[in-house]
Amino acid sequence: MELLGMSLEQLQALCAGEGFPRFTAKQICDWLYKKHVDTIDAMTNLSLAQRARLNKIAHIGRHAPVDCQVSKDGTKKYLFRIENEKLGKENYVEAVYIPETNASHLSPLTSHLPSSLSRATLCISCQAGCKMNCRFCETGKHGFHGHLSAADILNQIFSIPETDTLTNIVYMGMGEPMDNLDAVLRSTEVLTAPWGLGWSPHRITVSTVGILPGLKRFLDESQCHVAVSLHNAVAAERLAVMPMQKVYPIADVVALLRRYDWSGQRRLSFEYTMFRGLNDDLGHAAELVRLVRGLNCRVNLIRYHSGTASDGAQFTTATPQAMNQFRDYLNDHGITCTIRASRGEDIMAACGLLAGHAKAQ
């Protein structure tokens, strides 16, 4: 049994079953989520008998990354080993730490940061591999190997040296969050609940290709930001690179999103990777405007990153000129649009490049 990822209510039920006082659950929460302990023996205000019993039936669920690569731009990619009992083998997932120094990001959330930082984002994974099979994504090329538990997801946050510097979490690493929604929601509850980290949900962004049942449930049960992987507003062209378009058409996804209020602090964004000659002209920009017009949202343009040499035959990135023209067209037509800075490409940590490969020993 993994304690990491358990809610206060779940821990109260556990303690009641073991005959522990009710307040013991709050003590365990504090050790897990406030003090970040990695062993039960470190919970020193629990009795020796309580710790001995917990050690017999549970473990924290924390484990250190097995590798860290550092980019020339300061981005760090952490590799975590995942034991998947159902598959009978180990897998690996990656998380990416992205420090920023742009003064425009300064806010009360960053008051705890070193003076050299104004923002620190961690991009985390929710699955080993991915079922979505988006043609341009390195993760999808390696298939699906298993869901991560809430402990596996949270471990990426709690087991890196930069834990205390984090200002934002994005569920944009390996896997589709709406395909592992129970674990994702359990992890975001730990991040936002008063007994957990107590973060505002607006420090967290969860991405999706648009799995409608999961997305609706997420919109109803969470106040975290939402990022939809769009990449092409033309249905037939999106289907050619994103097979889930056939099951959950992007028009239906946008129709669902229009039923929710985006006028407050909760943000909606669309992620749009730009491919030369495929989705980067002003005709595609006009289709995107038609799709999301009247929806309070932002569009993030992403430069395509080639994961393997063979990719070049099918996909190449749009030119800077095309990306600038696309951005300007959207902004001129009332759609807030920015070009996302590429980070960590030299260590295969940029958007679409995570594959969870262990280094050869």
Side-chain angles (χ1 to χ4, degrees), residues 141-211:
K141 293 175 186 177
H142 300 280
F144 174 73
H145 304 290
H147 296 299
L148 301 194
S149 67
D152 291 328
I153 294 171
L154 291 166
N155 181 66
Q156 298 167 69
I157 300 168
F158 284 93
S159 293
I160 63 170
E162 297 85 5
T163 297
D164 291 332
T165 73
L166 297 176
T167 61
N168 299 82
I169 300 292
V170 294
Y171 287 68
M172 295 183 179
M174 300 171 64
E176 163 58 49
M178 303 305 156
D179 189 45
N180 189 21
L181 188 54
D182 285 340
V184 167
L185 286 173
R186 283 197 295 272
S187 66
T188 58
E189 182 184 14
V190 168
L191 295 175
T192 58
W195 47 259
L197 289 189
W199 279 22
S200 163
H202 305 129
R203 296 170 65 176
I204 303 165
T205 301
V206 179
S207 68
T208 180
V209 299
I211 298 179

Side-chain angles (χ1 to χ4, degrees), residues 130-135 176 179 209-213 238-250 253:
C130 186
K131 300 176 185 176
M132 301 301 107
N133 197 29
C134 298
R135 309 302 187 204
E176 163 58 49
D179 189 45
V209 299
I211 298 179
L212 286 173
R238 187 173 189 259
L239 177 60
V241 295
M242 300 180 70
M244 288 307 292
Q245 166 70 19
K246 184 175 182 179
V247 184
Y248 302 115
I250 190 62
V253 174

Side-chain angles (χ1 to χ4, degrees), residues 16-85:
E18 295 299 326
F20 298 167
R22 184 177 175 85
F23 63 79
T24 306
K26 182 60 168 62
Q27 292 175 317
I28 296 173
C29 268
D30 287 344
W31 286 111
L32 290 173
Y33 305 131
K34 310 292 187 186
K35 300 172 184 174
H36 304 174
V37 297
D38 57 8
T39 67
I40 290 170
D41 289 333
M43 300 180 180
T44 52
N45 60 352
L46 274 62
S47 70
L48 288 175
Q50 288 172 334
R51 281 178 271 167
R53 178 58 184 160
L54 283 176
N55 272 315
K56 286 184 178 180
I57 64 172
H59 59 100
I60 296 293
R62 287 269 309 274
H63 53 92
V66 297
D67 187 47
C68 175
Q69 297 180 58
V70 183
S71 168
K72 61 186 178 184
D73 64 25
T75 299
K76 295 182 180 180
K77 184 173 73 171
Y78 288 100
L79 182 72
F80 292 88
R81 180 183 290 111
I82 304 296
E83 298 291 343
N84 191 317
E85 295 179 0

Side-chain angles (χ1 to χ4, degrees), residues 97-153:
Y97 174 75
I98 309 167
E100 298 182 35
T101 57
N102 186 347
S104 66
H105 286 128
L106 289 173
S107 75
L109 293 180
T110 64
S111 60
H112 67 290
L113 292 181
S115 58
S116 59
L117 288 178
S118 62
R119 184 182 174 102
T121 300
L122 186 67
C123 175
I124 60 175
S125 298
C126 65
Q127 294 177 318
C130 186
K131 300 176 185 176
M132 301 301 107
N133 197 29
C134 298
R135 309 302 187 204
F136 51 87
C137 178
E138 193 70 18
T139 305
K141 293 175 186 177
H142 300 280
F144 174 73
H145 304 290
H147 296 299
L148 301 194
S149 67
D152 291 328
I153 294 171

